[in-house]
Amino acid sequence: MTTILIVEDEADLRELVAHHVEAAGMIALQAATGNEGLALARSKKPDLILLDLMLPDLQGVEVCKRLRTDPATATTPIIMLTAKTAEGDRVQGFEAGADDYVPKPFSTRELLLRVRAVLRRRDQTTPQESDLITGGGITVDSARHIVVVDGVEVKMTALEFRLLATLMQRRARVQTRQVLLEDVWGLSPDLQTRTVDTHVKRLRERLGPAGDHIETVRGVGYCFRIQDNA
Ligand code: CA
């Protein structure tokens, strides 16, 4: 069964969300602090984590960073919950490795729709019309949401997946940071941010030597290029 970990210090809100998660046929785990959340994430390996940004001990962004560096939770989908609506906070969350963002106040219905959407992206393993993008030893299967590099599946977060698919679809065309911010993250393109660079770095690390196909175009952005048929 699908397990959702809710890390939120406001007990009323946490229990309300847990109630709706359970009503939707999933298991809800609850944590009131960042450290408790980290411990539960490691021991129970939930399918998705709802993470409040403002916690009493560790900030949500810090929790998110730690989840991403632990192999046990490195690719677990994370949706950030926060009362802050400033775009800067969204950026912080994305830079720390969150997959999506739901601003408070939210309706539990809206929240569950987002949870399902993120889980669906991760879980699409049923055979259906395959949507394959290949090049440079990398295969991106959008229908099944998997990436295979030289025959080996490489795990990545939903955002890293979208970033790679976007770069590969637009092969040999330079993508500016602004365009990527808008198309991959849905953030306004005039934002000054290192989000794109942070994620490209992480993506290259995951891809290993195949990551060299993502070229840095100095002062502009990035380009997926394969030497022979660029
Ligand atoms: Ca809070």
Side-chain angles (χ1 to χ4, degrees), residues 7-10 13 32 52-56 81-83 104:
V7 188
E8 165 65 76
D9 58 319
E10 288 164 61
L13 181 60
D52 183 29
L53 193 68
M54 304 289 280
L55 292 165
L81 309 175
T82 177
K104 291 177 182 177

Side-chain angles (χ1 to χ4, degrees), residues 191-204:
L191 213 64
Q192 292 296 314
T193 171
R194 298 190 333 275
T195 296
V196 175
D197 305 301
T198 311
H199 279 79
V200 167
K201 182 168 173 286
R202 232 181 260 152
L203 182 57
R204 280 182 180 141

Side-chain angles (χ1 to χ4, degrees), residues 85-182:
T85 48
E87 202 164 37
D89 295 307
R90 267 173 84 179
V91 169
Q92 253 202 323
F94 282 134
E95 277 178 1
D99 294 290
D100 205 350
Y101 180 101
V102 176
K104 291 177 182 177
F106 48 79
S107 73
T108 46
R109 187 175 162 276
E110 160 73 12
L111 181 64
L112 282 176
L113 285 175
R114 299 285 274 275
V115 166
R116 287 191 191 289
V118 170
L119 287 174
R120 205 163 40 238
R121 283 206 295 265
R122 190 207 55 167
D123 282 347
Q124 272 177 350
T125 50
T126 45
Q128 45 180 281
E129 200 181 342
S130 203
D131 192 1
L132 295 181
I133 314 165
T134 58
I138 305 170
T139 300
V140 173
D141 186 336
S142 296
R144 294 166 66 207
H145 202 80
I146 57 172
V147 175
V148 175
V149 179
D150 295 328
V152 179
E153 186 178 346
V154 176
K155 300 251 180 236
M156 53 183 65
T157 68
L159 259 173
E160 288 158 1
F161 185 92
R162 283 213 298 276
L163 176 60
L164 178 62
T166 302
L167 287 169
M168 287 184 72
Q169 271 159 1
R170 303 172 185 178
R171 177 178 313 181
R173 283 149 58 197
V174 178
Q175 303 299 308
T176 65
R177 287 178 179 80
Q178 289 76 14
V179 162
L180 290 170
L181 264 184
E182 200 167 15

